Short mmCIF file of all heavy atoms in Angstrom, two decimals:
data_model
loop_
_atom_site.label_atom_id
_atom_site.label_comp_id
_atom_site.label_asym_id
_atom_site.label_seq_id
_atom_site.Cartn_x
_atom_site.Cartn_y
_atom_site.Cartn_z
N ARG A 1511 -15.47 -3.40 -16.68
CA ARG A 1511 -14.74 -4.72 -16.67
C ARG A 1511 -14.52 -5.14 -15.22
O ARG A 1511 -14.77 -6.38 -14.93
CB ARG A 1511 -13.21 -4.48 -17.27
CG ARG A 1511 -12.35 -5.59 -17.18
CD ARG A 1511 -10.95 -5.40 -17.58
NE ARG A 1511 -10.31 -4.16 -16.89
CZ ARG A 1511 -9.73 -4.27 -15.67
NH1 ARG A 1511 -9.86 -5.49 -15.09
NH2 ARG A 1511 -9.25 -3.23 -15.13
N ILE A 1512 -14.34 -4.23 -14.27
CA ILE A 1512 -14.13 -4.69 -12.89
C ILE A 1512 -15.40 -5.23 -12.38
O ILE A 1512 -15.60 -6.24 -11.60
CB ILE A 1512 -13.72 -3.47 -12.02
CG1 ILE A 1512 -12.26 -3.21 -12.46
CG2 ILE A 1512 -13.87 -3.76 -10.56
CD1 ILE A 1512 -11.82 -1.87 -11.78
N LYS A 1513 -16.65 -4.56 -12.79
CA LYS A 1513 -17.94 -5.18 -12.31
C LYS A 1513 -18.11 -6.55 -12.76
O LYS A 1513 -18.94 -7.27 -12.15
CB LYS A 1513 -19.04 -4.28 -13.05
CG LYS A 1513 -20.47 -4.55 -12.61
CD LYS A 1513 -21.50 -3.68 -13.37
CE LYS A 1513 -22.83 -4.07 -12.85
NZ LYS A 1513 -23.89 -3.12 -13.49
N ARG A 1514 -17.49 -6.99 -13.91
CA ARG A 1514 -17.69 -8.42 -14.37
C ARG A 1514 -17.17 -9.51 -13.52
O ARG A 1514 -17.49 -10.56 -13.55
CB ARG A 1514 -17.19 -8.53 -15.76
CG ARG A 1514 -18.02 -7.79 -16.86
CD ARG A 1514 -17.71 -8.22 -18.32
NE ARG A 1514 -16.43 -7.85 -18.66
CZ ARG A 1514 -16.02 -6.64 -19.27
NH1 ARG A 1514 -17.04 -5.87 -19.67
NH2 ARG A 1514 -14.88 -6.40 -19.73
N TYR A 1515 -16.11 -9.07 -12.63
CA TYR A 1515 -15.52 -10.14 -11.84
C TYR A 1515 -15.62 -9.88 -10.22
O TYR A 1515 -15.32 -10.89 -9.52
CB TYR A 1515 -14.04 -10.32 -12.29
CG TYR A 1515 -13.12 -9.13 -11.83
CD1 TYR A 1515 -12.66 -9.10 -10.62
CD2 TYR A 1515 -12.66 -8.21 -12.81
CE1 TYR A 1515 -11.79 -8.03 -10.29
CE2 TYR A 1515 -11.79 -7.30 -12.41
CZ TYR A 1515 -11.35 -7.26 -11.10
OH TYR A 1515 -10.43 -6.21 -10.80
N VAL A 1516 -15.90 -8.79 -9.87
CA VAL A 1516 -15.89 -8.52 -8.35
C VAL A 1516 -16.98 -9.34 -7.82
O VAL A 1516 -18.14 -9.13 -8.22
CB VAL A 1516 -16.03 -7.00 -8.02
CG1 VAL A 1516 -16.26 -6.79 -6.55
CG2 VAL A 1516 -14.79 -6.34 -8.33
N GLY A 1517 -16.64 -10.10 -6.85
CA GLY A 1517 -17.68 -10.88 -5.96
C GLY A 1517 -17.97 -12.24 -6.74
O GLY A 1517 -18.83 -13.07 -6.26
N LYS A 1518 -17.30 -12.48 -7.84
CA LYS A 1518 -17.77 -13.76 -8.64
C LYS A 1518 -16.51 -14.61 -8.70
O LYS A 1518 -15.37 -14.13 -9.05
CB LYS A 1518 -18.12 -13.37 -10.05
CG LYS A 1518 -19.44 -12.34 -10.05
CD LYS A 1518 -19.59 -12.00 -11.52
CE LYS A 1518 -20.86 -10.92 -11.52
NZ LYS A 1518 -20.61 -9.78 -10.97
N LEU A 1519 -16.64 -15.86 -8.39
CA LEU A 1519 -15.57 -16.85 -8.43
C LEU A 1519 -16.16 -18.28 -8.84
O LEU A 1519 -17.00 -18.70 -8.13
CB LEU A 1519 -15.01 -16.89 -7.00
CG LEU A 1519 -13.70 -17.85 -6.99
CD1 LEU A 1519 -12.40 -17.20 -7.76
CD2 LEU A 1519 -13.30 -17.99 -5.42
N PRO A 1520 -15.74 -18.75 -9.89
CA PRO A 1520 -16.08 -20.02 -10.17
C PRO A 1520 -15.56 -21.15 -9.14
O PRO A 1520 -14.59 -20.90 -8.46
CB PRO A 1520 -15.52 -20.46 -11.62
CG PRO A 1520 -14.29 -19.42 -11.60
CD PRO A 1520 -14.62 -18.27 -10.87
N PRO A 1521 -16.13 -22.42 -9.06
CA PRO A 1521 -15.73 -23.33 -8.17
C PRO A 1521 -14.15 -23.72 -8.37
O PRO A 1521 -13.94 -24.11 -9.63
CB PRO A 1521 -16.67 -24.52 -8.41
CG PRO A 1521 -17.83 -23.91 -8.89
CD PRO A 1521 -17.29 -22.77 -9.85
N LEU A 1522 -13.37 -23.59 -7.43
CA LEU A 1522 -11.87 -23.96 -7.60
C LEU A 1522 -11.52 -24.72 -6.33
O LEU A 1522 -11.89 -24.26 -5.22
CB LEU A 1522 -11.09 -22.61 -7.66
CG LEU A 1522 -11.37 -21.63 -8.80
CD1 LEU A 1522 -10.52 -20.44 -8.75
CD2 LEU A 1522 -11.05 -22.27 -10.13
N SER A 1523 -10.76 -25.76 -6.55
CA SER A 1523 -10.41 -26.51 -5.45
C SER A 1523 -9.12 -26.28 -4.84
O SER A 1523 -8.83 -26.58 -3.61
CB SER A 1523 -10.52 -28.13 -5.87
OG SER A 1523 -9.62 -28.31 -6.90
N ARG A 1524 -8.23 -25.78 -5.74
CA ARG A 1524 -6.80 -25.50 -5.31
C ARG A 1524 -6.35 -24.10 -5.66
O ARG A 1524 -6.79 -23.62 -6.73
CB ARG A 1524 -5.75 -26.45 -5.66
CG ARG A 1524 -5.93 -27.89 -5.28
CD ARG A 1524 -5.05 -28.90 -5.88
NE ARG A 1524 -5.07 -29.05 -7.32
CZ ARG A 1524 -5.81 -29.79 -7.97
NH1 ARG A 1524 -6.74 -30.56 -7.37
NH2 ARG A 1524 -5.72 -29.70 -9.35
N LEU A 1525 -5.39 -23.70 -4.91
CA LEU A 1525 -4.79 -22.32 -5.29
C LEU A 1525 -4.04 -22.26 -6.61
O LEU A 1525 -4.28 -21.13 -7.35
CB LEU A 1525 -3.80 -21.80 -4.19
CG LEU A 1525 -3.56 -20.34 -4.28
CD1 LEU A 1525 -4.72 -19.48 -3.90
CD2 LEU A 1525 -2.35 -20.07 -3.33
N SER A 1526 -3.65 -23.32 -7.07
CA SER A 1526 -3.01 -23.46 -8.43
C SER A 1526 -4.08 -23.20 -9.54
O SER A 1526 -3.68 -22.56 -10.63
CB SER A 1526 -2.32 -24.78 -8.68
OG SER A 1526 -3.25 -25.73 -8.50
N GLU A 1527 -5.31 -23.53 -9.30
CA GLU A 1527 -6.26 -23.32 -10.23
C GLU A 1527 -6.68 -21.79 -10.31
O GLU A 1527 -6.92 -21.22 -11.42
CB GLU A 1527 -7.49 -24.10 -9.96
CG GLU A 1527 -7.27 -25.58 -9.98
CD GLU A 1527 -8.63 -26.44 -9.60
OE1 GLU A 1527 -9.52 -25.70 -9.21
OE2 GLU A 1527 -8.43 -27.67 -9.57
N ALA A 1528 -6.50 -21.14 -9.07
CA ALA A 1528 -6.85 -19.78 -9.05
C ALA A 1528 -5.74 -18.97 -9.78
O ALA A 1528 -5.91 -18.01 -10.48
CB ALA A 1528 -6.96 -19.26 -7.57
N VAL A 1529 -4.44 -19.49 -9.62
CA VAL A 1529 -3.40 -18.83 -10.41
C VAL A 1529 -3.57 -18.90 -11.70
O VAL A 1529 -3.49 -17.93 -12.57
CB VAL A 1529 -2.02 -19.41 -9.99
CG1 VAL A 1529 -0.86 -18.94 -10.82
CG2 VAL A 1529 -1.67 -19.20 -8.57
N ALA A 1530 -3.93 -20.00 -12.30
CA ALA A 1530 -4.24 -20.18 -13.79
C ALA A 1530 -5.39 -19.43 -14.12
O ALA A 1530 -5.27 -18.78 -15.32
CB ALA A 1530 -4.43 -21.74 -14.00
N LEU A 1531 -6.38 -19.25 -13.48
CA LEU A 1531 -7.50 -18.37 -13.77
C LEU A 1531 -7.08 -16.89 -13.91
O LEU A 1531 -7.53 -16.25 -14.91
CB LEU A 1531 -8.63 -18.55 -12.64
CG LEU A 1531 -9.84 -17.63 -13.00
CD1 LEU A 1531 -10.54 -18.14 -14.21
CD2 LEU A 1531 -10.72 -17.67 -11.70
N MET A 1532 -6.26 -16.43 -12.97
CA MET A 1532 -5.82 -15.14 -13.04
C MET A 1532 -4.96 -14.84 -14.25
O MET A 1532 -5.13 -13.78 -14.89
CB MET A 1532 -5.05 -14.64 -11.72
CG MET A 1532 -5.92 -14.73 -10.40
SD MET A 1532 -5.01 -14.17 -9.00
CE MET A 1532 -5.23 -12.47 -9.14
N ARG A 1533 -4.10 -15.65 -14.52
CA ARG A 1533 -3.21 -15.54 -15.74
C ARG A 1533 -4.02 -15.51 -16.91
O ARG A 1533 -3.68 -14.76 -17.91
CB ARG A 1533 -2.10 -16.70 -15.65
CG ARG A 1533 -1.21 -16.53 -14.46
CD ARG A 1533 -0.04 -17.56 -14.64
NE ARG A 1533 0.82 -17.16 -15.70
CZ ARG A 1533 2.08 -17.81 -15.89
NH1 ARG A 1533 2.35 -18.77 -15.11
NH2 ARG A 1533 2.82 -17.41 -16.78
#
Side-chain angles (χ1 to χ4, degrees):
R1511 177 185 56 79
I1512 291 169
K1513 181 180 181 178
R1514 289 195 291 269
Y1515 72 78
V1516 168
K1518 304 174 179 71
L1519 183 66
L1522 301 171
S1523 58
R1524 294 184 301 276
L1525 194 66
S1526 59
E1527 296 174 3
V1529 175
L1531 176 67
M1532 294 184 85
R1533 295 187 70 172

